[in-house]
Amino acid sequence: MGVHRRSLILSSLAIWSDMFNGLPWSPCVPVEKKTSVNEGGAQLKASIGPAGECILVLAGRLDAYTVGPLWPRAGRMLQDHADTPVRVDLAAVDYCDGAGVALLLDLLRQTRAPGAEVTLVNVPTKVAQLLEPFDASALASPSRTRRPPGLGRRLGDGVHDLGRDLYNHVVFVGEAAAALAHGLAHPSRVRWKDALRIAQEAGVNALPIVALIAFLMGVILAFQSAVAMKQFGAEIFVANLVALSLFRELGPLMTAILLAGRSASAFAAEIGTMKVNEELNALTTMGLDPVRFLVVTRVMAAVIIAPLLTIFADLVGLMGGAMVMMTFDVPLVAFMNQVSHAVSPGDFLGGLFKATVFGLVIAGVGCLRGLETRTGASAVGISTTRAVVSAIILIVVLDGLFAVIFFHLGI
Amino acid sequence: MHSDSQSPPPIIQVRDLTLGFGGTPLLEHLSFDIAPGEIFVILGGSGCGKSTLLKHMIGLYEPMAGEVVIGGEVFTGTEGQARRDILRRFGVMYQMGALFGSMTLLENVRLPLEEFTGLPDEAMDLVARLKLQLVGLAGFEQHMPAEISGGMQKRAAIARAMALDPDILFLDEPSAGLDPITSAELDQLILRLSRILGITFVVVTHELPSIFTIADRVIMLDKETRGILAQGDPAHLRDHSEHPWVRRFFNREATEAS
C-alpha cells in the first residue's frame, strides 16, 4: 500500500514538473526524491522566540498530500498569536509543490495587526523561486465569483429566450414548408439519393425493433383482454379489440415513438454535428440552403416510411394477437374473419394518416433541434435530448387532437 | 502581385465595417481593399476577431454597420439570386475543412457542380477528379473524409471550394493543427494556385512562416482599438513598423518577461 502510494505520488510529481519544464521557475524541488513519503510527511511546530515573536517551523515535504492536515492547524496558530509577529521558518523544508506554495501564501495573505506581520525566514532558494511569481497582497481579498443574476433578470432572460425560440420555430416551419413545396414542385431538385439513404436508415433498419414492440403489444393486448373476456365466453371479440386498438391508436403511436427515439435523435445529432463542424456554414457559402438540402430529404424520408412502418407494426401486432387467440382455441380463420369485419377502411387509413403527420413532425423537430445546436461538445447531446423529448410531446398532443377530430368526423 | 497605382479595381472592398455580437462591437469602422490576384492575410492576436471578420466577409454574419463589396457588387444585405451570383464568385475553406462526412471526397467536390451546373454526370466526375488532382489528392477520390489526415482534409476542402472556379478563396486558419511540413506544403499549394489560376486569396492565420511565405499584404487587427493596427508588406512591418506590438508579433517576442 505504502509503495503504491509513493509511486503514485512520485509519478504525479513527475507529470507536474514536466508540465512546467522550461519555465523560469521550477514548481518542484526534488531535494531528495527518494525520501520516504510516509516517514517524511510534513511537520509543523510552534514556539516562542527570544523577542517574544511566534516561530512556526515547517519541515519535511509540503505537497498536495501532506499539507491538508497542517492547513487548519497553521491557521489556528496564526490566530492564537494575533498580536505578535510570526516568523515562518522554512529551513527544514525539503520539498514543496503547488499546494505547499498555496499554504505559504495563505499564511502571508492574512490580515494582521500592524507590527504583527507574518514573514518567511530561512527560505530555501528553490522555494523562493516557487514563490517568486505570486503576490500575496493580491490574494488578500477572496477571488471574485460571478454573482448569479437576480430573479428579475432571470425572468426577463427566460421570457426573451422563449420569445426568440418561438420566433425561430415559426421561421423554421415557414422555411421548411416553402422548401417542401419547392421540392414537390421540382422533384428533380430533391436529393433522392440522400432521402433513400435516410429512409433505409430510419425505416428498414428499424424493422426489427418495430416488429418486437408491435408483436409484444399484440400479445399483451390479446392476452390481458382474453382472460377477462373468457369469463363471458366472448373471446372472439378480443380480435375486435386488438385490431381496432392497433389500427387506430397503438400502431401509429408506438411506431411514432420508436421513430422519435431512433430517428429524431439521429437527425438532430447528425445536423448538430454538421453545425459544430461548420459543414452548415460550408453549405451556406456554397449558396445551398441547409433547410432545403438537409431538412427536405429527411422530412420526405420520414413521411414515406412512417406509414409503411405503421402498416408493418399493425400486421405484426395482429400476428401476436392471433397467436394468443390460437392458444384460447380460436382458429386463425375465425380470428381473421372477425378482424376483417371489425376494421373499416376508415380505421386503417385514419391510422396511416396519423402516422404520416407524426413522421412529418418527428423529422421536422429532429432537424430543427439539430439546426439550433450551439457550439461546444455538450451542444449535440443537448440537441439530441431536446429532439426526442419535443417529438414525443408533440406526438402525444397531436394524438389527442386527432382523437377529438376523428370523433367529431365520425371516423 | 502587389497592387500599384495602375492596378485594376479592387475585387473586395470592405467599407466602414463594424461588427460584433449582442450590440457590443468587436471591430469598428474597418475599411480596406483587396486587389485581384493578391494574397491578403488577416492577422491579429487571439480573440481579436480575425475569424469573425472573415465570416462577415463571406456573408455568414450580418455586420452592425458598413458593407462588403465583392467584384463591384454590394454583398452585405443582398438576397436571392443576386446573392447566389456573388456566392458563386468565391470559395471558402473552413478551419477544420468542413467536408461532408457522409460523402466521399469526389462527392464532396462534385456537390457544387451537381447543384449549380448542368454538366453531364461523367463530366462532373472528371472536373471533380481534376480539382482533387490539382491539390495533390489524385487516387483518394473514393476515400471518406474521416479516412484521411487533417492536412489532406484541408486540401480536399480547397478542391471543393474551387469546384466552380471562383475568383476568390477565403481560407480560415489553413495551418491550424498541422505539422510544419504539411503546413509548408499547404503554403506552396496556395502560391501555386495563385500563380497558375490568378486566384485572390484572403487568409486568416497567425503562423509566422506561412505569413512570410505567402502574404503579399497583411492587415493586423487590434483588440484594444478595435481597428486596424497596421497594414502592408509583412517583412517591412517586421522591421520598420512604428508599433512596438506589431514588431513584437513578427519577431515572436512575449509581451513581458515573465
Side-chain angles (χ1 to χ4, degrees):
Chain A
M1 190 65 189
V3 172
H4 175 71
R5 185 173 161 75
R6 180 170 64 192
S7 64
L8 192 77
I9 292 170
L10 286 178
S11 62
S12 63
L13 289 174
I15 292 167
W16 167 252
S17 67
D18 280 352
M19 271 170 57
F20 287 87
N21 264 347
L23 290 183
W25 46 276
S26 158
C28 75
V29 195
V31 177
E32 280 183 87
K33 238 183 173 171
K34 292 281 180 191
T35 47
S36 163
V37 176
N38 288 343
E39 272 176 33
Q43 288 108 42
L44 171 67
K45 284 191 200 115
S47 58
I48 303 297
E53 79 278 25
C54 170
I55 300 174
L56 291 187
V57 179
L58 278 166
R61 295 177 65 90
L62 298 184
D63 63 28
Y65 303 95
T66 58
V67 297
L70 297 187
W71 208 299
R73 278 175 53 208
R76 274 199 303 278
M77 285 176 183
L78 281 196
Q79 279 168 13
D80 293 345
H81 302 88
D83 301 322
T84 50
V86 176
R87 283 165 50 192
V88 182
D89 190 334
L90 302 177
V93 171
D94 51 30
Y95 183 92
C96 185
D97 74 354
V101 169
L103 172 65
L104 298 178
L105 288 167
D106 187 43
L107 299 178
L108 288 175
R109 73 174 181 171
Q110 303 299 325
T111 315
R112 307 278 292 174
E117 284 83 8
V118 177
T119 46
L120 303 181
V121 294
N122 298 330
V123 185
T125 326
K126 294 255 176 171
V127 178
Q129 279 178 6
L130 291 184
L131 286 167
E132 202 256 350
F134 304 110
D135 178 10
S137 59
L139 299 167
S141 54
S143 60
R144 264 184 296 164
T145 48
R146 206 183 280 184
R147 274 183 56 201
L151 183 66
R153 177 69 191 267
R154 272 185 290 166
L155 202 65
D157 284 352
V159 172
H160 176 261
D161 289 353
L162 192 71
R164 195 194 49 206
D165 276 2
L166 274 176
Y167 173 78
N168 286 343
H169 293 180
V170 172
V171 169
F172 174 78
V173 170
E175 281 181 350
L180 272 173
H182 182 268
L184 290 175
H186 307 88
S188 63
R189 304 282 295 148
V190 176
R191 297 184 63 84
W192 291 108
K193 203 176 133 202
D194 287 354
L196 279 178
R197 177 182 66 82
I198 295 158
Q200 179 182 352
E201 176 53 42
V204 179
N205 296 357
L207 287 177
I209 179 90
V210 171
L212 177 72
I213 301 287
F215 187 78
L216 275 178
M217 252 175 359
V219 167
I220 293 166
L221 269 178
F223 195 77
Q224 292 298 331
S225 47
V227 171
M229 301 266 221
K230 194 175 165 63
Q231 296 175 15
F232 305 101
E235 297 101 311
I236 189 65
F237 292 106
V238 169
N240 300 40
L241 189 148
V242 170
L244 281 176
S245 315
L246 279 174
F247 281 60
R248 290 182 68 100
E249 280 296 330
L250 292 175
L253 193 65
M254 291 311 293
T255 307
I257 288 177
L258 286 174
L259 205 56
R262 281 187 88 254
S263 301
S265 54
F267 295 167
E270 194 176 353
I271 295 178
T273 310
M274 288 181 78
K275 184 161 184 188
V276 173
N277 287 342
E278 294 196 293
E279 289 172 41
L280 294 190
N281 284 348
L283 280 177
T284 309
T285 46
M286 271 182 205
L288 297 174
D289 177 15
V291 172
R292 185 180 77 74
F293 197 78
L294 298 171
V295 180
V296 169
T297 45
R298 281 166 177 77
V299 169
M300 292 215 170
V303 164
I304 292 166
I305 57 150
L308 292 179
L309 277 179
T310 303
I311 296 174
F312 178 71
D314 290 347
L315 294 179
V316 175
L318 276 188
M319 278 164 57
M323 202 190 75
V324 171
M325 292 319 291
M326 278 152 77
T327 66
F328 280 83
D329 297 331
V330 176
L332 189 59
V333 174
F335 180 84
M336 293 313 290
N337 197 29
Q338 190 69 17
V339 167
S340 62
H341 281 117
V343 180
S344 70
D347 296 325
F348 179 66
L349 293 177
L352 291 193
F353 176 72
K354 283 205 307 195
T356 311
V357 176
F358 290 158
L360 180 82
V361 168
I362 291 164
V365 164
C367 295
L368 170 67
R369 295 307 189 198
L371 290 172
E372 282 177 348
T373 305
R374 298 182 186 185
T375 49
S378 59
V380 177
I382 293 170
S383 298
T384 314
T385 312
R386 281 160 53 102
V388 177
V389 172
S390 313
I392 289 177
I393 290 173
L394 280 174
I395 290 165
V396 172
V397 170
L398 278 175
D399 198 46
L401 277 178
F402 276 125
V404 175
I405 293 170
F406 283 5
F407 175 76
H408 284 291
L409 292 180
I411 297 174
Chain B
M1 283 191 205
H2 291 276
S3 55
D4 53 44
S5 54
Q6 304 291 313
S7 62
I11 192 160
I12 301 174
Q13 291 165 282
V14 171
R15 292 182 187 155
D16 205 24
L17 197 72
T18 296
L19 50 98
F21 298 106
T24 321
L26 190 62
L27 292 165
E28 288 177 314
H29 307 300
L30 299 182
S31 293
F32 55 88
D33 291 349
I34 299 172
E38 199 172 25
I39 301 181
F40 184 84
V41 174
I42 301 172
L43 298 176
S46 298
C48 74
K50 300 184 294 290
S51 287
T52 312
L53 170 61
L54 189 87
K55 287 187 174 136
H56 278 81
M57 290 171 74
I58 60 180
L60 284 175
Y61 300 148
E62 284 293 308
M64 292 163 74
E67 59 189 17
V68 176
V69 180
I70 291 181
E73 311 281 334
V74 176
F75 183 39
T76 308
T78 306
E79 293 294 338
Q81 190 56 42
R83 184 180 183 83
R84 282 192 287 278
D85 287 343
I86 298 174
L87 285 172
R88 212 75 54 80
R89 298 201 59 177
F90 65 78
V92 185
M93 190 214 81
Y94 291 88
Q95 208 173 66
M96 303 314 296
L99 295 170
F100 302 118
S102 58
M103 301 181 186
T104 63
L105 297 194
L106 190 77
E107 287 167 342
N108 263 286
V109 181
R110 261 183 65 125
L111 178 68
L113 299 165
E114 287 171 13
E115 290 293 325
F116 297 115
T117 70
L119 287 175
D121 212 40
E122 282 170 26
M124 282 194 284
D125 263 357
L126 186 62
V127 173
R129 288 183 61 185
L130 290 176
K131 300 293 176 191
L132 283 169
Q133 201 174 34
L134 197 59
V135 298
L137 285 175
F140 290 92
E141 290 85 1
Q142 297 307 325
H143 281 61
M144 302 302 280
E147 295 168 349
I148 58 175
S149 71
M152 290 159 91
Q153 286 182 12
K154 293 192 181 197
R155 280 189 279 157
I158 292 180
R160 185 181 65 183
M162 290 196 313
L164 295 171
D165 291 300
D167 307 325
I168 310 161
L169 276 181
F170 289 92
L171 311 183
D172 189 5
E173 306 242 13
S175 320
L178 298 185
D179 67 80
I181 297 172
T182 314
S183 173
E185 285 169 359
L186 209 57
D187 290 345
Q188 291 310 314
L189 175 65
I190 294 169
L191 287 173
R192 201 154 54 87
L193 294 176
S194 161
R195 196 181 61 238
I196 302 172
L197 303 171
I199 296 176
T200 308
F201 280 88
V202 181
V203 185
V204 166
T205 185
H206 38 217
E207 289 284 315
L208 284 172
S210 247
I211 296 164
F212 290 120
T213 311
I214 62 172
D216 291 323
R217 203 153 60 88
V218 303
I219 56 167
M220 181 164 275
L221 303 175
D222 182 37
K223 207 172 175 176
E224 299 297 317
T225 59
R226 300 186 197 142
I228 298 172
L229 193 61
Q231 53 181 315
D233 173 64
H236 184 265
L237 289 178
R238 174 188 57 196
D239 300 328
H240 303 293
S241 172
E242 66 250 42
H243 294 280
W245 194 88
V246 175
R247 289 200 305 274
R248 274 207 301 272
F249 182 97
F250 283 114
N251 291 301
R252 208 166 180 276
E253 290 166 3
T255 312
E256 57 185 23
S258 56

